Amino acid sequence: RYQIHTGLQHSIIRPTQPNCLPLDNVTLPQKLKEVGYSTHMVGKWHLGFYRRECMPTQRGFDTFFGSLLGSGDYYTHFKCDSPGICGYDLYENDNAAWDHDNGIYSTQMYTQKVQQILASHNPRKPIFLYIAYQAVHSPLQAPGKYFEHYRSINNINRRRYAAMLACLDEAINNVTLALKKYGYYENSIIIYSSDNGGQPMAGGSNWPLRGSKGTYWEGGIRAVGFVHSPLLKNKGSVCKELVHITDWFPTLITLAEGQIDEDIQLDGYDIWETISEGRRSPRVDILHNIDPIYTKAKNGSWAAGYGIWNTAIQSAIRVNHWKLLTGNPGYSDWVPPQAFSNAGPNRWHNERVSWSAGKTVWLFNITADPYERVDLSARYPEVVKQLLRRLSQFNKTAVPVRYPPKDPRSNPKLNGGVWGPWFKEDEKKKKADKNKGGNKQKKSKNKKKAH
């Protein structure tokens, strides 16, 4: 499902927020369990944990080993949300994995865990293994030996980034070797995918694409990925069709011969034939996002959006070759590789954007111009209107944003120094008991709030 259909269309789930992927969203591992798969997760969760029901083991995974948050120290697994609000963030199933706190770099530690899972499972029985490595993400840390090949890189952040990636490459190789060693490989599908573009201020590079992580420019949303499997019909080919992260859910459930309930409104498509046989993608558009909370564009208006759309709102949509952005699109420079001096991107080399101030609509032909250099919004007003109408249609189906204020009870100090569920069920019961004296309407209101 698109973010607008889960309520998570604004930013990320913060450590201190009482928020998680809504419990009525059925997950991929839940569907695979229905058809006899063992399901295991290793690595970064980041879908919320404020109550027990939000934890990975309650959302379809038989086992979980990893972190609940988005980023922490690769060695100590400590994460600070703000000064004084710090805690340990490494879990084995539902408990803090203190016994694993022995200074192993997380990329290597997660790989060891994957090897153990594969060694102890019966390869004749189906298994779904979701590995969400922490790398490559700040803080930029890597074991010393991986730096040796990258001494020639001047920029220290870029050098660290390269070292982290070299370690990750080795990890993927080790996972592949384990699949072969324990007899899974011939009947397995390996999907490798990144979750967003690079952050040029922290060693990443999206050149020659525009923008960075957190923006709707191609540099922020066009991620690298590959599928490797003996089951692919066309091996070694490049797929240039439209593929979106929402497509993995129906694709993998269908491959596993699972059932997709007809009443679930999905935004994803089964794209296996597109990847395996080079067929056309069933997908003609991608809603990159509509974020109604993001800082509004000062000059945005309904008039600028032809009365169809308020261009103050941050959004982006792709339909066939066309891509439309509205609102405040975020950091929009192109950062060439030579700009990486130790001081961060050198403004002298940076390609500054010279748009006239006050622009809130952009249109690009991404097939012809993947670098988003030629804005066509003035030349093709009819296409702009067509895409704005599509945006407006999508927006009618959006659910309200879930972005609650921080909850002081989330402080790890109140939880044995560990980031973990803090919302206690008995508090809900107390509330319900209190309301028993009151009228029924009140009771259901409280229930809703707690949910």
Side-chain angles (χ1 to χ4, degrees):
R1 281 183 176 161
Y2 288 137
Q3 307 94 304
I4 62 161
H5 296 143
T6 62
L8 300 176
Q9 58 270 61
H10 177 66
S11 190
I12 56 172
I13 296 175
R14 306 277 166 196
T16 55
Q17 276 180 324
N19 194 10
C20 73
L21 177 71
L23 300 176
D24 56 358
N25 282 262
V26 182
T27 66
L28 179 57
Q30 280 168 338
K31 297 302 292 177
L32 293 176
K33 269 172 86 87
E34 286 175 11
V35 283
Y37 274 71
S38 288
T39 57
H40 303 273
M41 176 178 167
V42 175
K44 161 185 168 175
W45 174 241
H46 211 192
L47 286 175
F49 59 87
Y50 78 105
R51 36 190 290 204
R52 287 249 167 246
E53 297 95 316
C54 300
M55 295 283 280
T57 50
Q58 306 295 310
R59 304 304 298 268
F61 286 107
D62 294 331
T63 69
F64 165 60
F65 179 74
S67 64
L68 295 174
L69 293 170
S71 64
D73 190 282
Y74 283 74
Y75 292 97
T76 66
H77 319 296
F78 262 81
K79 163 81 175 177
C80 290
D81 183 53
S82 54
I85 312 281
C86 299
Y88 184 64
D89 180 26
L90 185 65
Y91 269 74
E92 178 115 53
N93 299 322
D94 295 334
N95 299 305
W98 290 109
D99 50 336
H100 285 275
D101 183 17
N102 42 21
I104 299 182
Y105 185 64
S106 79
T107 303
Q108 295 165 329
M109 180 172 66
Y110 290 156
T111 306
Q112 287 169 12
K113 190 70 189 175
V114 170
Q115 289 164 328
Q116 286 164 18
I117 291 168
L118 291 172
S120 57
H121 182 81
N122 176 355
R124 280 185 292 284
K125 299 225 165 89
I127 183 170
F128 171 62
L129 191 48
Y130 172 56
I131 316 165
Y133 283 105
Q134 191 181 345
V136 175
H137 195 289
S138 56
L140 301 180
Q141 298 170 298
K145 70 171 186 174
Y146 295 98
F147 285 85
E148 287 163 19
H149 298 297
Y150 305 107
R151 289 206 187 108
S152 61
I153 299 177
N154 272 341
N155 179 305
I156 185 66
N157 280 347
R158 190 71 177 149
R159 198 182 320 151
R160 285 185 185 130
Y161 192 97
M164 294 166 85
L165 198 55
C167 184
L168 180 65
D169 281 347
E170 188 180 280
I172 303 301
N173 184 39
N174 288 336
V175 169
T176 311
L177 291 173
L179 288 169
K180 289 178 175 172
K181 178 178 175 181
Y182 298 115
Y184 299 89
Y185 178 78
E186 291 306 322
N187 194 31
S188 67
I189 295 164
I190 301 170
I191 296 168
Y192 177 99
S193 146
S194 176
D195 53 356
N196 47 250
Q199 179 50 275
M201 306 300 172
S205 174
N206 304 310
W207 175 262
L209 298 181
R210 181 176 185 177
S212 66
K213 173 181 173 173
T215 72
Y216 301 160
W217 300 107
E218 292 295 283
I221 56 173
R222 187 183 280 217
V224 291
F226 64 80
V227 177
H228 174 80
S229 172
L231 308 174
L232 285 170
K233 293 213 169 94
N234 297 354
K235 297 179 176 62
S237 61
V238 176
C239 172
K240 295 199 169 178
E241 293 290 305
L242 283 187
V243 172
H244 186 254
I245 191 166
T246 50
D247 300 332
W248 293 128
F249 183 89
T251 303
L252 294 179
I253 292 167
T254 308
L255 271 173
E257 295 172 10
Q259 285 299 309
I260 294 172
D261 315 321
E262 281 174 23
D263 56 339
I264 301 189
Q265 291 286 290
L266 286 187
D267 297 306
Y269 295 85
D270 175 359
I271 48 156
W272 182 248
E273 289 181 347
T274 306
I275 292 169
S276 178
E277 299 169 35
R279 301 237 185 132
R280 294 302 310 265
S281 172
R283 177 181 277 294
V284 291
D285 55 19
I286 292 175
L287 176 69
H288 292 308
N289 199 18
I290 299 168
D291 184 344
I293 292 185
Y294 193 78
T295 317
K296 302 283 182 287
K298 284 195 184 72
N299 300 313
S301 66
W302 285 94
Y306 300 99
I308 302 166
W309 182 256
N310 179 0
T311 65
I313 294 168
Q314 189 197 43
S315 72
I317 187 169
R318 170 85 183 258
V319 178
N320 293 317
H321 302 299
W322 296 108
K323 177 181 173 187
L324 180 92
L325 297 96
T326 75
N328 183 345
Y331 182 81
S332 60
D333 291 353
W334 293 268
V335 185
Q338 75 269 23
F340 288 104
S341 72
N342 270 335
N346 179 332
R347 286 293 170 210
W348 191 255
H349 288 300
N350 238 359
E351 297 201 44
R352 303 299 297 167
V353 176
S354 56
W355 294 123
S356 51
K359 231 180 129 37
T360 55
V361 179
W362 295 261
L363 178 72
F364 300 98
N365 180 328
I366 293 295
T367 310
D369 175 28
Y371 315 132
E372 297 169 298
R373 291 184 178 277
V374 185
D375 172 34
L376 300 169
S377 58
R379 204 183 307 172
Y380 296 104
E382 288 313 309
V383 177
V384 171
K385 286 180 199 166
Q386 192 190 327
L387 268 63
L388 289 173
R389 279 189 208 102
R390 191 81 185 95
L391 257 184
S392 171
Q393 276 174 336
F394 270 122
N395 201 42
K396 287 191 181 93
T397 67
V399 301
V401 178
R402 297 166 64 104
Y403 199 72
K406 61 163 72 170
D407 184 338
R409 294 175 298 175
S410 61
N411 192 333
K413 280 186 184 138
L414 307 173
N415 194 23
V418 179
W419 287 105
W422 69 84
F423 195 90
K424 302 288 186 280
E425 293 306 309
D426 51 346
E427 288 174 32
K428 282 190 348 200
K429 279 205 190 91
K430 270 183 208 157
K431 263 189 187 170
D433 291 343
K434 250 189 202 166
N435 283 333
K436 269 189 183 149
N439 63 22
K440 277 206 167 111
Q441 231 177 345
K442 236 183 183 168
K443 195 168 171 185
S444 68
K445 221 178 188 174
N446 257 355
K447 254 193 188 148
K448 224 176 189 167
K449 259 191 188 148
H451 181 75

